[in-house]
Amino acid sequence: MPQIILAPLVIEAAGTKPKRIEEFAGRVNSNHETVSVARMISPPGWEEQGQCPEFEEITVVLKGTLKVEYESGMLEVGAGQALVCKPGEWVRYSTPGSEGAEYIAVCLPAFSPATVHRDE
Protein backbone atom coordinates (compact mmCIF):
# COMPACT_ATOMS: atom_id res chain seq x y z
CA MET A 1 0.00 0.00 0.00
CA PRO A 2 1.35 3.47 -0.79
CA GLN A 3 2.38 5.52 2.23
CA ILE A 4 1.41 9.16 2.58
CA ILE A 5 3.83 11.46 4.36
CA LEU A 6 1.52 13.89 6.12
CA ALA A 7 4.09 16.60 6.74
CA PRO A 8 7.81 17.22 6.51
CA LEU A 9 10.02 17.22 9.57
CA VAL A 10 11.94 20.46 10.12
CA ILE A 11 15.66 19.83 10.65
CA GLU A 12 18.31 22.22 11.99
CA ALA A 13 20.51 23.54 9.18
CA ALA A 14 24.20 24.37 8.97
CA GLY A 15 25.21 27.83 7.83
CA THR A 16 25.47 31.46 8.79
CA LYS A 17 21.77 32.30 8.96
CA PRO A 18 18.79 30.11 9.77
CA LYS A 19 17.81 28.05 6.72
CA ARG A 20 14.67 25.96 6.94
CA ILE A 21 15.06 22.30 5.94
CA GLU A 22 11.81 20.36 5.55
CA GLU A 23 12.61 16.67 5.12
CA PHE A 24 9.78 14.78 3.47
CA ALA A 25 11.62 11.50 3.04
CA GLY A 26 14.96 10.44 4.43
CA ARG A 27 16.72 8.98 7.43
CA VAL A 28 14.94 11.24 9.95
CA ASN A 29 11.32 11.57 8.79
CA SER A 30 10.59 8.28 7.01
CA ASN A 31 13.51 5.95 7.80
CA HIS A 32 14.64 5.91 4.16
CA GLU A 33 18.35 5.19 3.81
CA THR A 34 18.50 5.06 0.00
CA VAL A 35 17.09 8.52 -0.76
CA SER A 36 16.21 11.79 0.93
CA VAL A 37 13.93 14.53 -0.37
CA ALA A 38 13.85 17.91 1.34
CA ARG A 39 12.61 21.41 0.65
CA MET A 40 15.06 24.15 1.57
CA ILE A 41 14.03 27.73 2.27
CA SER A 42 17.18 29.81 2.37
CA PRO A 43 17.25 33.50 3.35
CA PRO A 44 19.23 36.22 1.57
CA GLY A 45 22.87 36.17 2.65
CA TRP A 46 22.90 32.53 3.82
CA GLU A 47 26.00 30.45 3.24
CA GLU A 48 27.31 27.16 4.56
CA GLN A 49 30.70 25.50 4.81
CA GLY A 50 32.04 23.63 1.83
CA GLN A 51 31.39 19.91 1.75
CA CYS A 52 32.56 16.78 -0.03
CA PRO A 53 29.61 14.38 0.38
CA GLU A 54 29.58 10.66 -0.27
CA PHE A 55 26.12 10.96 -1.87
CA GLU A 56 24.84 12.30 -5.18
CA GLU A 57 22.74 15.44 -4.75
CA ILE A 58 20.19 16.67 -7.27
CA THR A 59 18.91 20.17 -6.58
CA VAL A 60 15.90 21.80 -8.27
CA VAL A 61 15.58 25.54 -7.66
CA LEU A 62 11.96 26.69 -7.32
CA LYS A 63 12.51 30.38 -6.45
CA GLY A 64 15.47 32.71 -6.35
CA THR A 65 19.07 31.80 -7.13
CA LEU A 66 21.40 29.28 -5.53
CA LYS A 67 25.12 29.99 -5.80
CA VAL A 68 27.24 26.84 -6.00
CA GLU A 69 31.01 27.03 -5.68
CA TYR A 70 33.07 24.02 -6.77
CA GLU A 71 36.81 23.32 -6.97
CA SER A 72 37.42 25.14 -10.24
CA GLY A 73 34.63 27.67 -10.40
CA MET A 74 31.14 28.83 -9.52
CA LEU A 75 27.63 28.35 -10.91
CA GLU A 76 24.42 30.28 -10.34
CA VAL A 77 21.36 28.06 -10.52
CA GLY A 78 18.10 29.95 -11.04
CA ALA A 79 14.44 29.14 -10.64
CA GLY A 80 13.40 26.39 -13.04
CA GLN A 81 16.94 24.99 -13.28
CA ALA A 82 18.56 21.94 -11.67
CA LEU A 83 22.04 20.91 -10.61
CA VAL A 84 23.61 17.47 -10.17
CA CYS A 85 26.60 17.07 -7.83
CA LYS A 86 28.36 13.71 -7.88
CA PRO A 87 29.66 11.88 -4.80
CA GLY A 88 33.10 13.10 -3.77
CA GLU A 89 32.73 16.49 -5.49
CA TRP A 90 33.56 19.50 -3.27
CA VAL A 91 30.78 22.12 -3.29
CA ARG A 92 29.64 25.08 -1.23
CA TYR A 93 26.11 26.45 -1.38
CA SER A 94 24.95 29.99 -0.65
CA THR A 95 22.13 32.41 -1.43
CA PRO A 96 23.77 35.85 -1.69
CA GLY A 97 20.91 37.41 -3.67
CA SER A 98 18.29 39.71 -2.16
CA GLU A 99 15.49 37.13 -2.44
CA GLY A 100 17.27 34.05 -1.08
CA ALA A 101 16.12 30.76 -2.60
CA GLU A 102 13.70 27.89 -2.28
CA TYR A 103 14.80 24.54 -3.64
CA ILE A 104 14.32 20.78 -3.46
CA ALA A 105 17.33 18.60 -2.65
CA VAL A 106 17.31 14.89 -3.47
CA CYS A 107 20.23 12.86 -2.07
CA LEU A 108 21.14 9.33 -3.14
CA PRO A 109 21.73 7.61 -0.76
CA ALA A 110 19.94 9.67 1.88
CA PHE A 111 21.64 12.68 3.45
CA SER A 112 23.54 11.93 6.64
CA PRO A 113 25.70 14.21 8.80
CA ALA A 114 28.24 11.37 8.86
CA THR A 115 28.63 11.32 5.06
CA VAL A 116 28.44 15.03 4.14
CA HIS A 117 32.05 15.80 5.24
CA ARG A 118 31.76 19.55 5.85
CA ASP A 119 34.86 21.74 5.87
CA GLU A 120 36.00 22.77 9.33
Side-chain angles (χ1 to χ4, degrees):
M1 176 172 128
Q3 173 190 2
I4 188 167
I5 297 171
L6 297 175
L9 184 66
V10 177
I11 299 172
E12 184 177 332
T16 58
K17 291 185 171 189
K19 175 178 86 167
R20 185 175 176 90
I21 299 176
E22 299 175 346
E23 182 183 279
F24 286 87
R27 295 177 193 271
V28 179
N29 197 36
S30 63
N31 294 317
H32 283 91
E33 293 188 10
T34 57
V35 65
S36 59
V37 179
R39 182 173 87 164
M40 314 289 192
I41 303 169
S42 180
W46 170 84
E47 60 182 34
E48 69 178 357
Q49 303 128 303
Q51 59 191 34
C52 193
E54 295 177 24
F55 47 82
E56 180 175 43
E57 185 166 7
I58 302 165
T59 304
V60 180
V61 178
L62 305 173
K63 295 179 185 173
T65 301
L66 183 65
K67 178 180 174 183
V68 183
E69 296 170 68
Y70 59 98
E71 284 189 14
S72 60
M74 185 271 299
L75 297 167
E76 289 189 352
V77 186
Q81 296 181 320
L83 175 77
V84 178
C85 294
K86 296 180 182 189
E89 216 168 25
W90 181 88
V91 292
R92 186 168 91 111
Y93 299 103
S94 63
T95 52
S98 62
E99 61 184 316
E102 181 178 337
Y103 54 100
I104 301 292
V106 178
C107 298
L108 301 153
F111 175 90
S112 167
T115 62
V116 71
H117 305 298
R118 295 192 196 282
D119 295 347
E120 295 192 24

